Amino acid sequence: MSAFVLKIIAIISMTFDHMSYLIFGEFSFMNYIGRIAFPIFAYQITEGYIHTHNLKKYFFRLFIFSLISQIPFMLFTSIFADGISLNIFFTLLLGLGAITIYDALNKIACKNKITHISYNLIGFGCVCLFAFLASITSCDYGYFGVFIIFFFYLFRNKKLLMNTAFITMAFIYYGQRLLFSPAYVPYLLIIIFTIFPLLFINLYNHKKGKDTKYFLYIFYPLHLLIIYGLSFLQ
């Protein structure tokens, strides 16, 4: 399964997720399908970091589209919610920042012969800081988004550990709601559908497939604007 196929699966899933609020005005069965999208996008961030030829341009591209997407995202969320939150590109940007700093600290540790434990503590502390920032700024998926990007990167060559870390984070993020909500079945289904994209990720063949460099960046704010426009027809 190529990167192109993964992105198409994620885009279709994301569209189902967002269309649910237009059609039903609230969470519905379509949103369960929507849980498939973000883990795939998070995984692609780690792949982008590993394979990019210009990390500065990668950061800049994510930052610019974070800004471009914010107004469409706010218009879209106004259909079903109050308050202001930051769109998914900000979450991906913070996740990219977390693994970049973690890697940089690793290189410093190797040069200065800092103990491996010290490097892990400092590096993971920085990742936690980025996760905290994602939460307090109300980024989409919050700390969960940053942590799964980090674990996808950290355990990229160890699938069992990668899968275990991801499943653990999914239960931590949604499990607290599962424990304290009488509607336990919906949250259990959310966890199941959040974990489900691991199937696609583990089938990834590390091939690029068709070039869709800017397709997702353009599609994300555009489809949010279209959904917002369609809301006036109801």
Side-chain angles (χ1 to χ4, degrees), residues 71-100:
I71 290 178
F73 180 73
M74 291 169 63
L75 292 173
F76 163 71
T77 56
S78 70
I79 298 173
F80 59 91
D82 297 322
I84 298 175
S85 57
L86 298 180
N87 69 78
I88 204 68
F89 277 128
F90 282 105
T91 312
L92 299 176
L93 183 65
L94 287 172
L96 179 62
I99 60 178
T100 300

Side-chain angles (χ1 to χ4, degrees), residues 1-10 36 40 43-44 47 159 196-210:
M1 186 174 289
S2 68
F4 170 76
V5 174
L6 280 178
K7 289 176 183 177
I8 294 301
I9 291 171
I36 295 171
I40 295 176
Y43 183 78
Q44 287 299 313
E47 284 292 295
K159 285 191 175 182
F196 183 73
L198 283 177
L199 172 65
F200 303 123
I201 291 170
N202 282 284
L203 290 174
Y204 176 51
N205 60 14
H206 298 278
K207 294 182 179 179
K208 185 177 181 179
K210 293 183 180 179

Side-chain angles (χ1 to χ4, degrees), residues 17-227:
D17 189 33
H18 294 161
M19 285 296 294
S20 174
Y21 293 107
L22 174 66
I23 297 170
F24 299 103
E26 59 184 14
F27 194 92
S28 75
F29 71 93
M30 294 175 68
N31 296 111
Y32 295 128
I33 299 172
R35 299 311 95 195
I36 295 171
F38 181 74
I40 295 176
F41 291 140
Y43 183 78
Q44 287 299 313
I45 284 293
T46 67
E47 284 292 295
Y49 173 74
I50 292 167
H51 298 293
T52 186
H53 297 296
N54 192 320
L55 185 58
K56 289 182 179 179
K57 284 186 178 179
Y58 193 27
F59 266 108
F60 182 73
R61 186 162 63 246
L62 275 174
F63 177 68
I64 289 299
F65 278 94
S66 296
L67 298 179
I68 290 172
S69 300
Q70 186 57 28
I71 290 178
F73 180 73
M74 291 169 63
L75 292 173
F76 163 71
T77 56
S78 70
I79 298 173
F80 59 91
D82 297 322
I84 298 175
S85 57
L86 298 180
N87 69 78
I88 204 68
F89 277 128
F90 282 105
T91 312
L92 299 176
L93 183 65
L94 287 172
L96 179 62
I99 60 178
T100 300
I101 290 180
Y102 185 86
D103 235 8
L105 287 170
N106 185 22
K107 292 173 183 176
I108 293 171
C110 291
K111 288 181 180 179
N112 295 292
K113 297 182 180 179
I114 300 174
T115 65
H116 192 65
I117 293 176
S118 297
Y119 148 68
N120 278 334
L121 289 175
I122 297 170
F124 187 67
C126 290
V127 173
C128 290
L129 184 61
F130 274 84
F132 176 71
L133 185 59
S135 291
I136 64 172
T137 56
S138 298
C139 285
D140 210 3
Y141 286 96
Y143 71 87
F144 173 71
V146 173
F147 275 127
I148 65 169
I149 290 171
F150 170 67
F151 286 128
F152 277 147
Y153 177 72
L154 183 66
F155 301 126
R156 61 194 180 278
N157 297 320
K158 302 173 182 177
K159 285 191 175 182
L160 180 60
L161 286 175
M162 181 186 77
N163 295 338
T164 302
F166 178 81
I167 292 169
T168 301
M169 283 305 306
F171 271 96
I172 290 172
Y173 186 63
Y174 292 110
Q176 54 187 327
R177 307 175 201 185
L178 184 66
L179 289 174
F180 299 106
S181 172
Y184 62 89
V185 173
Y187 284 114
L188 184 59
L189 287 172
I190 288 173
I191 292 173
I192 291 170
F193 276 90
T194 299
I195 294 170
F196 183 73
L198 283 177
L199 172 65
F200 303 123
I201 291 170
N202 282 284
L203 290 174
Y204 176 51
N205 60 14
H206 298 278
K207 294 182 179 179
K208 185 177 181 179
K210 293 183 180 179
D211 188 6
T212 56
K213 187 174 183 178
Y214 287 101
F215 178 69
L216 173 62
Y217 293 101
I218 296 169
F219 180 84
Y220 180 74
L222 182 61
H223 93 284
L224 293 177
L225 284 175
I226 291 172
I227 291 173

